[in-house]
């Protein structure tokens, strides 16, 4: 069992929390404002993940100190908030904490990929990018899904694979950080253009 913290309580961050807890880990979720949780019958769920039960063992907090002492810290934040929040946690986490970035896209203005952004702000921590054709609801429900964990630090990527892969989530490891990040950033644009072309036929 590992101590895993997640920054971001949106649909994807919450789905990853459900996954981590299902894998037997101790899970804390931080967000700047209270998570959008609600009662659905006898159990708790997220407003954007209706009818998917959230274990009471998952802790939700607005206190940033909940990320301290985590072996794995998942950044499931909006892209514009990555750099700012990395600066906020600089004094809270140890150099051994693995940072897993679930944000997709490029930083506005610099057009840098987010592993590069994180490494600039937290150079002492190993960083891994998580990307793939995955949807929050599918991960939360345990529907078979495949993703890639990419890092310049192979040991960190292997550890992410060990911690998060279960019978429904297959994680492949790669050292092609730029390729994986650009694939995640550009896939929606390619899909839209493909749809337009298909509609013109």
């Amino acid at each position: 069992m590992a101590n895993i913290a997640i920054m971001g309580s949106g649909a994807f961050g919450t789905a990853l929390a459900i996954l981590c807890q299902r894998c037997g880990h101790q899970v804390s979720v931080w967000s700047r404002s209270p998570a959008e949780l609600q009662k659905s019958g006898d159990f708790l769920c997220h407003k954007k993940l209706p009818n998917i039960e959230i274990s009471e063992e998952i802790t939700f907090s607005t206190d940033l100190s909940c990320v301290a002492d985590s072996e794995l810290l998942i950044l499931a934040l909006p892209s514009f908030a990555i750099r700012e929040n990395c600066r906020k946690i600089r004094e809270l986490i140890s150099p051994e904490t693995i940072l897993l970035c679930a944000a997709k896209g490029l930083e506005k203005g610099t057009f840098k990929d987010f592993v590069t952004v994180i490494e600039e702000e937290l150079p002492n921590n190993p960083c891994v990018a998580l990307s793939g054709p995955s949807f929050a609801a599918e991960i939360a429900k345990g529907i078979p899904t495949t993703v890639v964990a990419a890092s310049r630090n192979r040991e960190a990527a292997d550890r992410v694979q060990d911690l998060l892969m279960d019978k429904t989530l297959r994680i492949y490891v790669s050292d092609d950080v730029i390729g994986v990040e650009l694939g995640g950033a550009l896939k929606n644009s390619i899909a839209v253009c493909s749809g337009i072309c298909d509609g013109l036929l």
Side-chain angles (χ1 to χ4, degrees), residues 1-8 12-13 15-21 23-30 59 64-76 89 92-102 115 118 122 125-130 147-151 153-166 169 171:
M1 182 178 75
N3 185 2
I4 298 178
I6 300 170
M7 296 183 72
F12 201 63
L16 290 173
I18 293 170
L19 166 70
C20 292
Q21 194 276 329
C23 290
H25 304 302
Q26 181 178 328
V27 185
S28 300
V29 182
W30 172 86
T59 302
L64 195 55
S65 66
C66 74
V67 307
D69 302 320
S70 53
E71 177 181 343
L72 176 66
L73 175 54
I74 302 175
L75 302 174
I89 62 174
L92 293 174
I93 60 174
S94 74
E96 287 76 33
T97 299
I98 298 171
L99 304 173
L100 180 62
C101 182
V115 168
I118 293 166
L122 299 164
N125 292 85
C127 185
V128 182
L130 184 72
V147 295
V148 177
S151 180
N153 183 320
R154 180 57 184 255
E155 186 178 339
D158 286 342
R159 184 58 177 154
V160 167
Q161 183 186 54
D162 291 340
L163 289 172
L164 302 186
M165 191 162 74
D166 68 359
L169 180 67
I171 301 177

Side-chain angles (χ1 to χ4, degrees), residues 35-49:
E36 296 183 321
L37 306 179
Q38 61 185 14
K39 274 284 187 180
S40 178
D42 295 329
F43 62 85
L44 195 64
C45 68
H46 191 281
K47 287 184 178 180
K48 294 182 179 178
L49 298 170

Side-chain angles (χ1 to χ4, degrees), residues 173-185:
V173 172
S174 173
D175 60 2
D176 183 12
V177 176
I178 297 298
V180 169
E181 291 236 80
L182 286 179

